[in-house]
Amino acid sequence: MASPSDCKATIIDGKAIAQTIRSEIADEVRHLSQKYGKVPGLAVVIVGNRKDSQSYVGMKRKACAEVGIRSFDVNLPEEVPESDLISKVHELNANPDVHGILVQLPLPKHINEEKVLGEISLEKDVDGFHPLNIGKLAMKGREPLFQPCTPKGCLELLSRSGVSVKGKNAVVVGRSNIVGLPVSLLLLKADATVSIVHSRTPDPERLVREADIVIAAAGQAMMIKGSWIKPGAAVIDVGTNAVDDPTKKSGYRLVGDVDFEAACRVAGWITPVPGGVGPMTVAMLLQNTLDGAKRVIEQ
């Protein structure tokens, strides 16, 4: 790690910010429970037994319990037919106690991801991936019912760290449907001037060097060097990459898409990996579930 004296940047502590948001959510859930006798419900659907998916889902269920959101657990076998998964989704759509439905990705090869996600009721799409939610996110003057959790978390980290987005040059590295594309739309909505860097961009360094705000979501370990960062820029690192490290018991350590050591000497603000964006994604999922529940319960 860079010694504190070397590190000029303010470290954006995603864990601490997420914890603050969780306690705000817990207060609101208590209020709903006392006033209406109802609490938000989140259904988490997992297909098969991928270790990483299992651990994500475990984390989400634990987070629900912590803030008082009721968890509906749906575990389906790897070889479940697509039609069975879809009828399960329809069942959850019809359940009035479920306010959010999350289908853990990736799904097994024989299942059409797009088709399954499209079957989730728009009012319960707490992942924010329904084509209509993404479509509204892309349009001026329209608001989606839900914003995707990781991109929403990135903007929340900036705003709670006092970083203004309006009029700034923002560069998003990566164009995935889950992070890169929606986060660039959110930045645009917040009045930033947005460029997207991807695998076919001829000179990524040149664009990143001009950015007041960098959102790194390429999934490539330490691709963005410290020398690429404009002095004083805000850097949000979404990447989580395992690199070999024989000094660790596990044999590896997690690093971001940004060379943290070098970048924190130049940047104004930076998120660490792990502990930056990850905890925020779960906090935003809880926030979306609460918002979905309030729309129904407070009618």
Side-chain angles (χ1 to χ4, degrees):
M1 291 293 284
S3 71
S5 59
D6 288 344
C7 197
K8 288 202 175 71
T10 300
I11 306 293
I12 298 177
D13 185 345
K15 262 195 190 136
I17 294 173
Q19 204 46 60
T20 304
I21 292 169
R22 283 190 195 199
S23 56
E24 294 165 4
I25 293 168
D27 289 345
E28 288 204 58
V29 171
R30 258 194 307 279
H31 168 74
L32 285 179
S33 172
Q34 285 158 4
K35 190 169 176 187
Y36 301 96
K38 292 186 172 150
V39 297
L42 174 66
V44 181
V45 181
I46 183 169
V47 180
N49 38 24
R50 275 179 62 122
K51 284 253 185 311
D52 55 350
S53 292
Q54 294 279 4
S55 83
Y56 279 133
V57 167
M59 199 164 66
K60 287 164 184 171
R61 288 172 180 165
K62 191 166 161 255
C64 282
E66 201 184 290
V67 298
I69 289 176
R70 186 174 165 201
S71 210
F72 293 79
D73 302 345
V74 181
N75 300 307
L76 299 170
E78 180 84 24
E79 57 287 347
V80 68
E82 181 179 272
S83 56
D84 288 12
L85 173 56
I86 287 174
S87 43
K88 196 74 207 166
V89 167
H90 290 168
E91 203 180 292
L92 295 168
N93 283 342
N95 183 340
D97 295 327
V98 171
H99 304 100
I101 300 169
L102 179 140
V103 176
Q104 184 64 44
L105 303 178
L107 289 168
K109 292 273 185 285
H110 68 281
I111 294 175
N112 179 335
E113 215 163 84
E114 190 182 342
K115 192 171 171 193
V116 172
L117 295 181
E119 293 293 331
I120 295 172
S121 150
L122 196 59
E123 287 74 24
K124 299 188 181 189
D125 171 40
V126 286
D127 249 343
F129 292 150
H130 191 289
L132 278 173
N133 272 327
I134 292 285
K136 284 189 171 180
L137 184 60
M139 293 170 84
K140 208 173 165 185
R142 306 281 171 90
E143 283 304 326
L145 278 177
F146 299 103
Q147 297 174 356
C149 301
T150 302
K152 184 179 180 176
C154 293
L155 270 87
E156 192 69 25
L157 284 174
L158 291 168
S159 103
R160 290 194 183 227
S161 304
V163 178
S164 150
V165 174
K166 201 177 181 136
K168 298 285 176 64
N169 263 341
V171 169
V172 178
V173 184
R175 53 174 167 179
S176 73
N177 289 338
I178 294 177
V179 185
L181 176 71
V183 86
S184 56
L185 295 172
L186 280 174
L187 287 161
L188 207 50
K189 259 196 168 34
D191 297 326
T193 301
V194 184
S195 308
I196 301 173
V197 166
H198 50 77
S199 56
R200 299 286 179 270
T201 304
D203 188 0
E205 180 179 346
R206 183 181 61 79
L207 282 167
V208 175
R209 275 171 179 266
E210 290 168 6
D212 306 306
I213 295 167
V214 179
I215 312 265
Q220 281 190 27
M222 309 219 276
M223 163 196 163
I224 297 166
K225 309 299 172 213
S227 59
W228 293 21
I229 304 296
K230 177 178 175 178
V235 180
I236 306 286
D237 193 348
V238 185
T240 311
N241 311 288
V243 296
D244 293 337
D245 185 346
T247 67
K248 299 277 185 210
K249 195 169 151 196
S250 59
Y252 69 88
R253 65 192 162 94
L254 294 178
V255 299
D257 289 352
V258 177
D259 179 349
F260 180 86
E261 300 292 305
C264 84
R265 300 186 170 113
V266 196
W269 296 264
I270 192 167
T271 56
V273 174
V277 178
M280 289 298 287
T281 300
V282 179
M284 294 299 106
L285 172 66
L286 301 175
Q287 181 71 60
N288 279 354
T289 305
L290 170 66
D291 293 346
K294 278 162 68 174
R295 274 194 278 269
V296 177
I297 295 170
E298 290 178 343
Q299 267 180 357

